[in-house]
């Protein structure tokens, strides 16, 4: 009796367990939401992807990993274009003999023969590459310049000259490399810390009376100095030594600064759009500290094989992917620059003149602050980077500083450019256009138009040599005003009948161009938009 009961009990228990297991299995299978599953076959832009119970096929793995490497390569171009651009500037000026920590001066202005992103032919450029690998460097700037220092990833370090702490009186700037452990001086220098060991600095000097570069060049060469900082020398108080906080060094004049002439020289300072782009990117990574760039931005670079201290040696598969990615990334950057879809980049709601910095600020995050009677009125931080704006800006422009993105009248300079005419067509070098500036152009110092080549984003190379027109009478005649006080500038392959030379900029049939308006020391009517240029109008 007991044996039968035991047998029955065991049968009952086994049946119960089987039923419970079956119920649990049924519950588990039926409770998986379809939204978290992967279908056996998925149609995507990279092709058909196949899975068996969530397991990717060999063909799917190949497609997915090719796409992943492609995506990293696109980001490595788009997010770090500015670093290769800085490197290209240093290589470009070095190609005409100007080494790091030397100075190149464009005594007769920059012309269209050299390739510089949106440079101008109105001011005297002073440019130098920086090498801080042996310690801090001093830059002494002359009076009355607009200048800035940029690190190897094209980040702003400090302004010099009119927007800087010397406020246009001339001053000494000490640029300190990353992880510098030495004692720094107090009082004698404007000290700025760079996150990289290389970079560039540049300044623009205004012509004297708008038409004579020679006295300005003499002043530049008299006051501009670049030399290594001497710890314990000028800038170090004896009290610092007595307190044991600093050593004393000799007081000796710095070595003479090496100057090079830039006018008339031909140099290429543009980042490449071919395979050498990634080679240049690797050079930047190898030259700089591993922590010089945000890890999030360095991630895609490392993912394609560019890692500090390691050789960059992609195999045939990876070279093919990088080449394809470069073509797409370049096309994207060019499209964002040439035809942006974000209307906030346009300065006027109903016009084609644009400058994204007013909407993004110089860090491509928060709009530049308003200037009110009560003072500066900043906008709240957005908390996100406007990546498209950053990519477009650095594709077409060299240099970034708060002085390029401020609403403060009478200081700095501001820019508006347009890629299209009033009918939203790209500007054609075979046709003739005009643009009219209303009277009382709001520029305290001067104003100018410059035409840029749509391919190179550099000054348009024509027989005029300097593709500009404006209020200065050098290097081309000053523009004349109309009877009502307005000023009309013409763009076309031939000088229109009845139009004076100073009111015409030559174009080239078969070449597109980009008109850019500059206002130096812009005034309030520009910022409150009570003054505005006309659209670029097609005449014939």
């Amino acid at each position: 009796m007991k044996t039968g009961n035991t047998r029955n009990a065991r049968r009952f228990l086994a049946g119960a367990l089987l039923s419970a297991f079956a119920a649990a299995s049924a519950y588990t299978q039926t409770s998986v939401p379809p939204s978290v599953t992967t279908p056996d076959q998925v149609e995507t832009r990279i092709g058909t992807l196949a899975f068996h119970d969530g397991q990717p096929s060999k063909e799917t793995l190949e497609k997915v990993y090719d796409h992943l490497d492609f995506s990293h390569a696109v980001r490595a171009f788009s997010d770090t274009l500015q670093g290769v651009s800085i490197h290209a500037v240093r290589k470009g000026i070095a190609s005409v003999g100007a080494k790091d920590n030397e100075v190149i001066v464009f005594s007769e202005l920059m012309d269209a023969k050299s390739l510089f992103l949106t440079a101008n032919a109105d001011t005297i450029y002073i440019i130098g590459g920086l090498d801080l690998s042996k310690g801090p460097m001093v830059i002494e700037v002359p009076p009355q310049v607009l200048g800035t220092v940029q690190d190897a990833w094209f980040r702003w370090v400090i302004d010099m000259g009119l927007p800087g702490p010397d406020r246009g009186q001339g001053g000494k700037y000490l640029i300190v490399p990353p992880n510098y452990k030495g004692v720094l001086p107090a009082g004698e220098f404007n000290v700025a810390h760079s996150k990289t060991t290389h970079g560039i600095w540049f300044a623009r000097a205004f012509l004297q009376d708008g038409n004579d570069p020679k006295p300005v060049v003499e002043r530049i060469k008299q006051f501009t100095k670049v030399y290594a900082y001497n710890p314990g020398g000028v800038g170090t108080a004896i009290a610092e030594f007595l307190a044991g906080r600093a050593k004393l060094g000799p007081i000796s004049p710095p070595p003479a600064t090496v100057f090079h002439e830039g006018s008339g020289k031909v140099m290429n300072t543009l980042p490449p759009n071919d395979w050498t782009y990634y080679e240049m990117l690797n050079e930047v990574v190898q030259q700089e500290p591993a922590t010089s760039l945000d890890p999030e931005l360095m991630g895609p670079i490392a993912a394609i094989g560019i890692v500090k201290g390691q050789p960059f040696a992609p195999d045939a598969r990876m070279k093919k992917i990088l080449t394809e990615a470069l073509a797409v990334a370049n096309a994207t950057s060019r499209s964002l620059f040439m035809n942006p879809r974000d209307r906030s980049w346009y300065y006027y709601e109903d016009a084609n003149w644009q400058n994204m910095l007013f909407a993004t600020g110089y860090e491509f995050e928060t709009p530049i602050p308003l200037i009110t009677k009560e003072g500066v009125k900043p906008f709240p931080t957005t908390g996100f980077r406007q990546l498209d704006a950053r990519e477009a800006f650095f594709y077409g422009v060299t240099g970034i500083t708060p002085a390029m993105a401020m609403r403060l009248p009478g200081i700095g300079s501001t820019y508006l450019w347009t890629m299209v005419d009033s009918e939203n067509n790209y500007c054609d070098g075979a046709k003739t256009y005009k643009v009219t500036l209303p009277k009382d152009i709001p520029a305290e110092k001067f104003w100018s138009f410059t035409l840029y080549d749509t391919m190179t984003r550099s000054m348009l190379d024509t027989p005029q040599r300097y593709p500009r027109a404006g209020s200065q009478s050098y290097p081309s005649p000053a523009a004349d005003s109309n009877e009502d006080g307005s000023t009309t500038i013409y763009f076309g392959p031939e000088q229109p009948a009845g139009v004076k030379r100073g009111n015409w900029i030559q174009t080239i049939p078969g070449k597109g161009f980009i008109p850019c308006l500059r206002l130096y020391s812009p005034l309030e009517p520009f910022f409150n938009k009570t003054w505005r240029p006309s659209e670029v109008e097609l005449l014939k």
Side-chain angles (χ1 to χ4, degrees):
M1 186 69 178
K2 290 182 178 178
T3 302
N5 289 339
T6 300
R7 187 180 297 115
N8 291 335
R10 287 176 177 170
R11 289 173 178 172
F12 176 80
L13 180 60
L17 290 173
L18 288 171
S19 298
F21 179 76
S25 298
Y27 174 78
T28 301
Q29 292 172 2
T30 58
S31 65
V32 177
S35 61
V36 303
T37 64
T38 300
D40 290 343
Q41 185 168 299
V42 183
E43 299 298 333
T44 73
R45 64 171 54 200
I46 62 173
T48 301
L49 305 180
F51 300 87
H52 174 68
D53 194 24
Q55 300 166 318
S57 67
K58 180 182 178 181
E59 293 77 12
T60 293
L61 288 172
E62 291 176 353
K63 291 177 183 178
V64 167
Y65 283 127
D66 281 356
H67 176 68
L68 182 61
D69 289 338
F70 178 85
S71 299
H72 288 320
V74 170
R75 283 200 59 190
F77 181 99
S78 303
D79 290 349
T80 60
L81 172 64
Q82 53 271 38
V84 177
S85 185
I86 280 281
H87 196 58
V89 172
R90 288 178 54 229
K91 290 175 77 74
I93 61 177
S95 72
V96 295
K99 302 175 183 178
D100 285 339
N101 302 332
E102 298 179 348
V103 181
I104 185 167
V105 181
F106 291 80
S107 300
E108 296 179 4
L109 307 187
M110 192 181 296
D111 62 24
K113 294 300 180 184
S114 286
L115 298 178
F116 272 87
L117 292 176
T118 50
N120 70 68
D122 303 305
T123 59
I124 300 170
Y125 275 92
I126 317 162
I127 304 174
L130 272 180
D131 182 356
L132 307 174
S133 59
K134 296 181 180 178
M137 294 294 297
V138 178
I139 303 172
E140 295 188 18
V141 297
Q144 298 301 307
V145 298
L146 281 170
T148 187
V149 179
Q150 320 270 251
D151 78 3
W153 293 109
F154 231 137
R155 291 172 299 207
W156 174 71
V157 177
I158 192 171
D159 281 331
M160 304 182 294
L162 290 166
D166 73 86
R167 301 295 297 275
Q169 301 304 301
K172 297 180 179 181
Y173 292 81
L174 183 65
I175 313 302
V176 183
N179 304 315
Y180 180 71
K181 304 301 182 183
V183 175
L184 295 174
E188 181 70 16
F189 301 93
N190 298 298
V191 180
H193 293 263
S194 172
K195 295 180 181 179
T196 63
T197 54
H198 297 86
I200 64 166
W201 71 275
F202 66 88
R204 291 165 293 164
F206 303 121
L207 299 182
Q208 184 168 307
D209 300 323
N211 62 8
D212 190 357
K214 291 182 180 179
V216 183
V217 173
E218 291 175 1
R219 185 172 71 238
I220 289 171
K221 293 186 176 181
Q222 177 184 355
F223 291 104
T224 302
K225 299 177 183 178
V226 179
Y227 53 91
Y229 169 61
N230 179 22
V234 174
T236 301
I238 298 296
E240 292 291 300
F241 166 71
L242 296 176
R245 291 190 291 265
K247 295 181 180 180
L248 289 183
I251 304 298
S252 56
T257 299
V258 177
F259 289 95
H260 298 267
E261 179 56 58
S263 294
K265 300 288 179 65
V266 178
M267 64 198 84
N268 174 21
T269 69
L270 305 187
N273 292 331
D274 61 9
W275 169 254
T276 58
Y277 177 89
Y278 292 110
E279 294 178 335
M280 269 201 188
L281 179 58
N282 181 57
E283 291 175 4
V284 178
V285 170
Q286 301 306 327
Q287 285 184 353
E288 300 305 328
T291 56
S292 67
L293 194 64
D294 185 281
E296 194 74 20
L297 291 175
M298 195 64 83
I301 301 174
I304 63 172
I306 298 177
V307 179
K308 174 77 172 179
Q310 298 182 18
F312 176 48
D315 58 19
R317 168 190 166 274
M318 198 62 187
K319 279 188 175 182
K320 181 176 183 297
I321 290 174
L322 291 174
T323 302
E324 293 173 349
L326 188 83
V328 171
N330 175 68
T332 303
S333 300
R334 179 173 286 279
S335 297
L336 286 169
F337 179 67
M338 288 297 305
N339 207 326
R341 62 184 178 180
D342 189 338
R343 281 302 307 179
S344 71
W345 300 6
Y346 293 80
Y347 193 61
Y348 309 101
E349 290 184 2
D350 57 346
N352 289 314
W353 296 104
Q354 58 178 280
N355 183 336
M356 73 282 284
L357 296 184
F358 287 96
T360 70
Y362 77 98
E363 292 185 313
F364 306 98
E365 180 184 357
T366 302
I368 61 177
L370 298 174
I371 307 297
T372 69
K373 293 180 180 179
E374 292 73 33
V376 178
K377 182 181 179 181
F379 288 91
T381 301
T382 63
F384 61 86
R385 192 84 64 200
Q386 299 191 45
L387 299 178
D388 288 355
R390 182 179 66 186
E391 183 175 347
F393 181 86
F394 284 114
Y395 192 79
V397 182
T398 294
I400 188 67
T401 158
M404 295 175 67
M406 60 182 179
R407 294 184 171 95
L408 190 60
I411 296 179
S413 56
T414 195
Y415 318 86
L416 291 179
W417 58 85
T418 181
M419 310 299 181
V420 296
D421 63 18
S422 59
E423 302 299 322
N424 294 321
N425 296 314
Y426 293 125
C427 296
D428 182 346
K431 300 177 181 179
T432 301
Y433 304 81
K434 72 173 183 177
V435 61
T436 299
L437 305 179
K439 67 177 182 178
D440 300 325
I441 299 171
E444 187 175 274
K445 289 191 178 295
F446 65 94
W447 63 269
S448 74
F449 265 110
T450 306
L451 297 189
Y452 295 100
D453 185 320
T454 54
M455 180 62 73
T456 65
R457 296 90 73 204
S458 303
M459 283 190 282
L460 189 67
D461 190 6
T462 73
Q464 284 184 332
R465 186 181 178 190
Y466 301 102
R468 51 83 61 193
S471 55
Q472 293 188 157
S473 57
Y474 185 94
S476 56
D480 286 349
S481 299
N482 302 317
E483 290 185 2
D484 63 358
S486 65
T487 303
T488 303
I489 303 298
Y490 295 82
F491 315 132
E494 303 291 339
Q495 185 172 344
V499 173
K500 293 187 176 180
R501 168 64 183 82
N503 293 68
W504 167 62
I505 307 178
Q506 189 173 20
T507 60
I508 306 172
K511 285 293 305 174
F513 64 89
I514 303 168
C516 178
L517 171 65
R518 282 181 170 85
L519 303 176
Y520 288 89
S521 296
L523 301 175
E524 184 61 27
F526 172 79
F527 296 115
N528 64 26
K529 301 182 183 180
T530 56
W531 181 94
R532 58 184 285 182
S534 75
E535 294 289 272
V536 175
E537 302 173 32
L538 176 64
L539 295 181
K540 62 177 181 178

